[in-house]
Amino acid sequence: AQSVTQLGSHVSVSEGALVLLRCNYSSSVPPYLFWYVQYPNQGLQLLLKYTSAATLVKGINGFEAEFKKSETSFHLTKPSAHMSDAAEYFCAVSGGNQGGKLIFGQGTELSVKP
Amino acid sequence: EAGVAQSPRYKIIEKRQSVAFWCNPISGHATLYWYQQILGQGPKLLIQFQNNGVVDDSQLPKDRFSAERLKGVDSTLKIQPAKLEDSAVYLCASSLVSINGNTIYFGEGSWLTVV
C-alpha cells in the first residue's frame, strides 16, 4: 500500500526566508508524486508533480521539489517566502494499481510572518 | 476552460437529515472523484468513476452515502441520514483518464456542517 507522511503540521517562516515543507512516501512501485496548495475556503490547486522524468521539478509560484529515491522523499522548497504563500500544502502519491487516484498526506499549514 | 463546478458551496443540516451535492467535471474528463476532507486532515477518496462506471468505492460508507454518474458527465453525492462526523468538505475532482500520474483537477468544495 502507498502512503505519504508530511513532517510538521504547521510551519512558520518570515517573509523572504526559505520555505521547506517535508514529505516522505512509502511505495512498493515507482511513485508519482504531487504537491497541491489549498487557500482558505478554496479547493486544491496543483503546484507541481513528479512523473519519473527529471528528479528536480519546478512548479508554479516559484516552488520546486526534488525526488530522492534513496531517502523516499519529495520535499517542497521556495527560496523566498511571500505573504501570499500562506496556505495549506498537501503532498500526494499515486502509482501501481491505484488507477490514478491520489493518496494524500495530512497537510502542512504554512504561515508567513511579515 | 471552465473548471470543476460544485454546488452548493455551503450547507448546514441537522443530524439524521439528508443532503445532496452536485458536481460537473471539466469537459471531456472521463474520470470523476469524490473526496472527503475533514478539518485538519488530508482529503480521503470516497468514490472514483470512469465514465458512468464505478472504479473504486471501497471507502464509501455505503449504509449512508451514495453517488451516481448516470450519463458519465455530472455526478451527485448523497448522504442519508447524516451524522455529526460527516461534517467535512466534499471535494469533487476530475481527470482525463484513470492513469497514474495524470493531473487531477479539484473543484472549490462543498462545505457541510451537521448539527
Side-chain angles (χ1 to χ4, degrees):
Chain A
Q2 295 178 311
S3 66
V4 167
T5 302
Q6 292 183 239
L7 300 176
S9 59
H10 188 262
V11 170
S12 182
V13 301
S14 297
E15 193 173 19
L18 171 71
V19 175
L20 171 60
L21 304 182
R22 299 178 187 273
C23 172
N24 288 90
Y25 69 91
S26 174
S27 177
S28 59
V29 297
Y32 297 92
L33 295 158
F34 302 74
W35 275 100
Y36 281 84
V37 61
Q38 186 176 36
Y39 298 102
N41 298 325
Q42 294 188 25
L44 279 73
Q45 179 184 5
L46 180 69
L47 279 177
L48 50 82
K49 67 177 182 180
Y50 167 75
T51 58
S52 75
T55 56
L56 182 62
V57 182
K58 295 186 183 299
I60 62 171
N61 301 340
F63 285 94
E64 63 181 37
E66 186 172 8
F67 172 71
K68 292 187 176 180
K69 183 178 179 179
S70 61
E71 299 178 7
T72 61
S73 68
F74 191 58
H75 303 329
L76 182 71
T77 61
K78 183 174 180 177
S80 176
H82 295 158
M83 296 297 292
S84 60
D85 294 328
E88 187 90 19
Y89 291 80
F90 292 95
C91 183
V93 64
S94 72
N97 62 352
Q98 295 296 328
K101 69 174 180 283
L102 296 175
I103 297 170
F104 285 88
Q106 70 273 32
T108 297
E109 183 181 0
L110 176 66
S111 300
V112 182
K113 298 174 292 186
Chain B
E1 178 182 270
V4 177
Q6 292 189 243
S7 67
R9 286 294 316 278
Y10 304 95
K11 191 76 175 178
I12 301 174
I13 63 172
E14 296 183 350
K15 59 183 179 183
R16 291 186 291 274
Q17 286 187 326
S18 63
V19 64
F21 300 113
W22 174 83
C23 171
N24 193 32
I26 293 173
S27 178
H29 281 195
T31 307
L32 185 147
Y33 309 81
W34 283 102
Y35 280 83
Q36 179 192 57
Q37 185 180 14
I38 294 173
L39 186 65
Q41 299 181 20
K44 182 186 78 172
L45 180 72
L46 291 175
I47 189 166
Q48 176 183 354
F49 292 95
Q50 176 74 16
N51 296 310
N52 61 351
V54 175
V55 175
D56 184 350
D57 64 355
S58 58
Q59 298 202 71
L60 185 74
K62 298 180 183 65
D63 58 334
R64 298 184 300 105
F65 286 65
S66 64
E68 60 184 15
R69 193 185 185 199
L70 294 176
K71 296 182 179 180
V73 181
D74 57 346
S75 174
T76 303
L77 176 70
K78 297 180 180 178
I79 307 173
Q80 181 179 15
K83 293 185 175 181
L84 296 177
E85 58 261 38
D86 298 333
S87 294
V89 181
Y90 291 87
L91 294 164
C92 181
S94 70
S95 64
L96 276 172
V97 290
S98 299
I99 294 177
N100 292 324
N102 219 3
T103 297
I104 297 177
Y105 299 87
F106 286 81
E108 293 194 322
S110 291
W111 298 69
L112 174 65
T113 301
V114 182
V115 298

